[in-house]
Amino acid sequence: MLSCMFLTISTTGSAEDPATDLGFLLHKHPGKVQAFSTSHGIAHVFYPEAADERCTAALLLEVDPVALVRRGQGKGRGGAPDAALAQYVNDRPYAASSLLAVALGSVFRSALGGRCTARPELPEQARPLRIEIPALPARGGAQLVHRLFDPLGWDLVRAEPVPLDEQFPEWGDSRYVRLVLEGELRLADALRQLYVLLPVLDDAKHYWVAPDEVDKLLRAGDGWLAAHPENGLISARYLARHKGLTREALDRLELLRLAEADGSEVEELDNAVGETEEKAVPLAVRRREAILGALRAAGASRVLDLGCGQGQLVQALLKEPAFTEIVGVDVSMRALGMAAKRLRLERMGEQQSSRVQLLQGSLAYTDKRLAGYDAAVLSEVIEHLDLPRLPALEYAVFGAARPRTVLVTTPNVEYNVRWETLPAGHVRHGDHRFEWNRAEFGGWAASVAGRHGYEVAFVPVGDDDPEVGPPTQMAVFTRIDTGTQKEGEVA
Ligand code: SAH
């Protein structure tokens, strides 16, 4: 029993810019029918049409289900034959799927990598592309197809559910969609999206997920995955929900994303907010003053600056001898590098440098190194995390590290109308995943405090506008100690 999976790639052109350049891009001659042996069957590449105006390449994979089962044995988890495979054999061959992605990756390897020795300039150019996959298994349906492809620069994303049986529409839809993508993209980008997203939609990757799958994912995701709003779902599904690997992938993507988004924008924008105010003290400065004041009031001496960015607060803390130990933590190596420069860590005397440490780490995971401090500051950090990841940060800080005092600052979105150069409805920084009003922040802070045994008070930072409140909101959390004698505390 042999069955087929199918994908076409079309482009348009003219005599000066012939569509048949597609042949160069794919490294496959439009005049030939070629066959390649891949791990799951035979892949054929041919061109149903090849003219200057329009050229279409087709990739057809003949799957050999028997070979698939044989390969499956000893490859399933723990070396046992993969039970999921029985079902796999039944529906696999009729659809584009993970296997098509594997074939795509091997047959069009150079195109995926954006290499073209004959015409090196070609892969750099975006072309009008049309990609069609007549039967794409999509767990999550057309809706998920849109969530995955809509953010990727296509002009048109069409996902039509395929009925179970055309003769009997009342039977409803199958789990397949007909996918059509149209837009001006570089072919390599389009292929790399498909290479990742076909198996993600299929969600039935049956083979053993090796640690180098993370590298493969990040290579294929280069330039589009880090900033993709669904990168959590994409990584988890691509890596067959392997928790450790997914975590590694997300950490590395976060680093990429932060390296792409320039952290310095935060300061610039804060300065702009300050300028519209009478005193013209930049908001960033007022925020640091508010934080220092709250730390002094709490009597903290060993302080964590979580999401320290370029180290402005660490620098200010170092100036006060009362702060005996200061640890800046950030997920971005680039930010930490800038912080080290700002602090002149290299040229610092021993006494000074023994007070300060910069650590790379993600606040979305518990970290033993963060336990036992008096206070932790999260200044303008929470809004850089996707909302679904906020509970992880909450647990890492309030559940695991548990300093006596936690200060959290975040923009008050109500104030945005007062910021003249900010277009209506826009967030203050491109990398902000959300901005909260006072009620939203207050609600979150109160529930965090309740869950982890803290009390919380709120402090406005910047001019407290009677209507919309202050530009920055700060929550001061204090751990409620249940023991009779609280350590280090004056009765
Ligand atoms: N605290 C600084 C910087 C705020 S910008 C200030 O108030 O100016 C937000 C910082 O949070 C960035 O440096 C970013 O790298 C860091 N960040 C974002 N997500 C993070 C995470 N999951 N773990 C650690 N740091 C993170």
Side-chain angles (χ1 to χ4, degrees):
M1 182 179 86
L2 285 181
S3 305
C4 299
M5 294 184 272
F6 196 55
L7 164 137
T8 59
I9 304 166
S10 309
T11 186
T12 51
S14 59
E16 298 78 52
D17 172 29
T20 46
D21 278 353
L22 186 61
F24 283 107
L25 282 166
L26 292 172
H27 291 235
K28 301 288 175 275
H29 194 285
K32 290 190 199 157
V33 174
Q34 287 172 279
F36 305 84
S37 163
T38 76
S39 48
H40 302 299
I42 298 178
H44 302 268
V45 178
F46 57 96
Y47 289 74
E49 55 184 342
D52 287 353
E53 293 72 36
R54 201 181 155 79
C55 181
T56 296
L59 171 68
L60 186 145
L61 180 66
E62 279 184 318
V63 176
D64 178 352
V66 178
L68 201 63
V69 175
R70 236 182 274 123
R71 282 181 55 80
Q73 297 190 347
K75 282 231 151 192
R77 304 234 153 140
D82 194 330
L85 223 62
Q87 167 225 334
Y88 209 71
V89 172
N90 294 332
D91 89 327
R92 211 71 336 211
Y94 300 106
S97 74
S98 316
L99 304 187
L100 190 56
V102 173
L104 196 85
S106 70
V107 175
F108 297 138
R109 184 187 300 269
S110 302
L112 226 82
R115 288 183 300 275
C116 180
T117 27
R119 304 270 303 276
E121 77 290 355
L122 277 186
E124 286 307 310
Q125 296 157 7
R127 285 205 76 92
L129 294 176
R130 182 178 196 278
I131 289 179
E132 177 166 350
I133 303 177
L136 171 71
R139 256 196 65 193
Q143 209 196 358
L144 184 60
V145 173
H146 280 286
R147 273 163 56 201
L148 296 182
F149 284 100
D150 285 355
L152 292 176
W154 296 94
D155 298 331
L156 174 129
V157 175
R158 202 159 65 212
E160 294 159 357
V162 175
L164 264 180
D165 191 319
E166 308 245 321
Q167 307 277 306
F168 301 98
E170 65 276 17
W171 288 5
D173 293 329
S174 67
R175 62 184 205 92
Y176 299 103
V177 299
R178 183 171 88 96
L179 175 71
V180 177
L181 302 170
E182 281 178 20
E184 287 242 346
L185 270 81
R186 289 186 303 197
L187 181 66
D189 292 335
L191 293 176
R192 286 188 289 105
Q193 294 172 11
L194 292 172
Y195 181 77
V196 173
L197 296 179
L198 296 190
V200 162
L201 282 162
D202 191 354
D203 199 24
K205 222 178 174 196
H206 67 291
Y207 52 82
W208 174 246
V209 178
D212 74 340
E213 291 288 326
V214 177
D215 294 320
K216 266 192 218 163
L217 173 65
L218 294 192
R219 261 201 310 276
D222 183 36
W224 63 272
L225 185 55
H228 196 296
E230 297 290 351
N231 63 18
L233 177 143
I234 293 168
S235 306
R237 280 198 180 188
Y238 186 87
L239 299 166
R241 297 195 171 75
H242 187 297
K243 284 220 177 73
L245 295 179
T246 304
R247 169 184 162 159
E248 184 195 330
L250 287 175
D251 262 355
R252 288 169 58 183
L253 285 170
E254 200 157 55
L255 282 170
L256 289 171
R257 177 170 66 81
L258 293 163
E260 285 158 16
D262 188 5
S264 62
E265 279 175 59
V266 178
E267 279 281 294
E268 275 162 34
L269 183 128
D270 282 350
N271 290 339
V273 173
E275 271 153 25
T276 65
E277 291 162 13
E278 250 180 82
K279 279 175 238 149
V281 177
L283 184 57
V285 173
R286 297 178 77 168
R287 193 159 47 228
R288 273 196 292 282
E289 281 166 1
I291 291 168
L292 289 168
L295 289 173
R296 286 182 211 118
S301 50
R302 304 177 63 237
V303 179
L304 296 166
D305 182 8
L306 305 176
C308 62
Q310 300 168 25
Q312 292 93 334
L313 179 65
V314 172
Q315 189 175 34
L317 288 164
L318 266 171
K319 291 195 180 128
E320 297 195 22
F323 301 114
T324 55
E325 207 180 322
I326 304 145
V327 180
V329 180
D330 206 287
V331 73
S332 161
M333 283 304 288
R334 187 163 161 271
L336 290 173
M338 292 196 270
K341 249 197 213 153
R342 171 187 303 274
L343 300 170
R344 302 205 171 79
L345 267 190
E346 250 133 62
R347 279 178 280 159
M348 213 178 247
E350 209 171 293
Q351 207 186 351
Q352 216 35 358
S353 70
S354 67
R355 288 172 60 210
V356 61
Q357 264 188 87
L358 296 177
L359 301 178
Q360 198 261 326
S362 172
L363 300 169
Y365 305 105
T366 57
D367 188 335
K368 289 200 185 78
R369 296 173 301 178
L370 307 187
Y373 286 83
D374 299 330
V377 179
L378 286 149
S379 165
E380 308 296 283
V381 172
I382 58 171
E383 64 276 10
H384 288 265
L385 271 86
D386 286 322
L387 270 176
R389 302 193 82 199
L390 209 50
L393 172 140
E394 173 192 330
Y395 182 74
V397 175
F398 295 89
R402 285 190 76 68
R404 204 174 96 80
T405 304
V406 182
L407 308 179
V408 179
T409 79
T410 195
N412 163 24
V413 71
E414 294 165 78
Y415 192 88
N416 288 3
V417 295
R418 295 281 184 273
W419 191 50
E420 280 159 19
T421 54
L422 190 72
H426 277 234
V427 293
R428 297 187 198 176
H429 186 282
D431 194 49
H432 284 182
R433 296 307 167 103
F434 62 89
E435 283 179 354
W436 275 337
N437 60 32
R438 284 167 291 176
E440 286 164 329
F441 182 54
W444 174 79
S447 67
V448 168
R451 276 192 288 274
H452 299 282
Y454 281 76
E455 272 166 0
V456 62
F458 297 91
V459 178
V461 180
D463 293 338
D464 198 354
D465 185 285
E467 234 176 278
V468 297
T472 296
Q473 28 189 356
M474 177 160 85
V476 180
F477 296 85
T478 309
R479 200 178 64 214
I480 305 165
D481 287 309
T482 42
T484 40
Q485 198 57 50
K486 297 171 197 174
E487 65 178 284
E489 218 184 351
V490 186

